[in-house]
Amino acid sequence: MISYGPSGLQDDPDVRVMMAGSTLRKVKSRTWKKQRHFRLLEDGLSIWYKSRWLGKGHSTFSVIEVEAVREGHHSEVLQSITDEFAADLCFTLVFHGRQGNLDFVAESQEEAQAWIRGLRKLIHRAQTMDEKQRLDQWVQDWFHKADKNKDGKMNFKEVRKLLKMMNVEMNEEHALYLFTMADRSQSGSLELEQFVLFYKMLTQRDEVWRVFQDYSGDGETLMLEELENFLNVEQQEGEGNAQHARELMERYEPSEPAKKQSTMSFDGFQRYLCSPEGSIFKPNYLGLCQDMSQPLSHYFISSSHNTYLMEDQLRGQSSLEAYIQALKRGCRCVEVDCWDGSDGEPVVYHGHTFTSKILFKDIIATLKEYAFTTSDFPVILSLENHCSVEQQTVMAHHLSKILGDTLLRNILDGHTTAQCLPSPQELKGKVLLKAKKIGGSEGSLDGTLTDDISDEEEVANGEVVEELHAESLNQHEKAQKPKSKLSRELSDLVVYCKSVHFRGFKGTPLHTKCNEMSSFSESKAKRLAKEAGADFVRHNVKQLSRIYPSGLRTDSSNYNPQELWNVGCQIVALNFQTAGLEMDLNDGLFGQNGRCGYVLKPSFLRDNHTTFNPEKPQEQPGYKPMRLSIQVISGQQLPKVNQKEGSIVDPLVRVEVYGVPQDQAKEETSYIINNGFNPVWNQTLNFVIHTPDLALIRFEVEDYDKTSKNDFIGQYTLPFTCIQPGYRHIHLLSKDGTAIPPASLFVNISISKLT
């Protein structure tokens, strides 16, 4: 049965087609097209499939993992077979995170439509479930997993196996006691409803119950005044929040009689604490909440390096899908490395490597379609140009024809390039080209550029030199480099993002041109940040700076972006295809302000006369350090790391602070042996934050291992300024940055001025 939602979808005609099953062609390439039998399982979430010809082997995936269904030839794979299969037979499943797409061809248009519509309904239902529905679904999923003989019942032996699967090490006597309590029919087995009762007993949140008891006069309910008192004292919401208390009761109290009496039961209290309003992230910072009318240089901008790559820098696949995934994550600066194609069409790939090639025009068409699906604010197209003048002109033609009015070609009315850059608000819905431009200090009017090759281009052009060596080349050596030529047509499309070679900090920002910007290797940028931090900060008030990873990072690894954000660098480009700490920080910073890809820099990074130096935060006017105290209370339903039967995690929690050098810190709890289901720590970690406006806080849960490196379980990263104090839940994310419900941490956070 379809097991969630009040109305269910089991009677929907499209879902019935899916449950009956269909033979679909699974397509991996133009030459790999295999028939597989697919059907929706009774839980309404799992898609089961197997080869028509093979025996018992099969696979499954969950609808919860699917983000969207694309109809027609909307993937590179399906575009390669347009001459073989009509668009109305084709569809693509797009998964959350970095998981690859699945491409299908149906036997008939009717069957394709049934799967497309059915999947979209199921995805919508999964995406709109509240926390209680998600938890109910999670419980039912476990029931179906543990019910090995599929008789709709679970005996005690199956329950014991289930507890292992759920990361619980429990005394057999206690487990049998709970089983007997739930087995009200005394049949020796549990049906689904009885299993839900068993689960509720298993997951009794004693630590939440104690908090509830502290504020409940009768030990059973919270009166309106008692909830108001809790919000004031513990959640630090201040006085006069009776209206908010009423709203919480209305939203989260499941009992109608309790609502009418203006009371909240323990169930309602726990629902509130597990809801978005009870999470660690301030709800009013999740949506678009910042001033978007300041110059572009006043914002951190989510930026991707070698956007076209899905994997490493030497042999990785170049793909249009990489651009789609980056833009979906809120990226607002994407990169293209352009080289001459053999048939007159420019291609994009990582030069002098074995990475695959894609057409420049296909990338621009993808940009046109997906640039503004996640955010309306401008996209910067960072162009690494290695093409001949002829193919540069072809690029200019594609940019103009495909992007049309979306491409910014002229200075906005009322602006000059000598003053300041326009704002994200003024540039909404526009694509800005970042590239070299004819004229000015770097070039002559005939398009010849004499001293404009960036460090990144030196590496791309096959000069195997380390960045530091590239920086130390003297002017005589640079003069020996071959001159490059620009196409006038391409040059004319560069308006606000003119690439220039960095020649040092030229005094005050008043004497610089705001439309000129430089690119820095990570090593050069970090050296400048350490040796001339205050100068770098002032430079970045008016001009954009782009930072890119070392050319030696052939595995597509990333550097720590925080060091460059500390000095106000806006375009700190990362390899979006590589999960890990650095992308966690990027996702954490840009998780605020509606995930629009732009975050307003702190005021001390926007002032022309600023003296801020991240190495010396105490010297900043208005210096106000803060104390952060985090009581790590408990964890809930942490996922298993080792899938071996009987293996249970030994979790610990590490809290890390990223910010100015003095704020870099980490503390961790002890580990809990054999309990990933409901571990309790009750340990407090303390930090001093010298520059709160730049600090990011990262919570990481690991499985302790005394003989080797701890295994990653989950993480959550957010800006210090977005933290809600009080009793909060932290909903953990996977290494890939996707949700792993219902895994969470329960914490109590206190923030105060350092005295």
Side-chain angles (χ1 to χ4, degrees), residues 52 141 173 251 312 319 372 446 507 515 549 662 731 739-740:
R52 291 180 67 190
D141 287 348
E173 187 178 339
R251 265 197 288 277
D312 65 70
S319 172
F372 303 106
D446 69 353
N515 70 322
Q662 286 188 36
H731 300 283
I740 44 175

Side-chain angles (χ1 to χ4, degrees), residues 129 223 250 260 269-271 290 305-306 313 361 400 424 438 498 502 516 551 598-599 621 656 667-668 671 694 738:
M129 283 192 286
M223 305 297 288
E250 187 61 35
K260 288 177 182 175
F269 183 69
Q270 188 162 300
R271 282 190 189 187
Q290 296 181 349
H305 172 251
N306 287 356
Q313 313 277 314
K361 66 180 180 181
S400 299
I438 296 171
K498 175 185 174 183
F502 178 69
E516 294 182 345
Y598 285 84
V599 168
E656 303 167 340
E667 298 285 340
E668 65 184 47
Y671 61 92
L694 284 174
T738 56

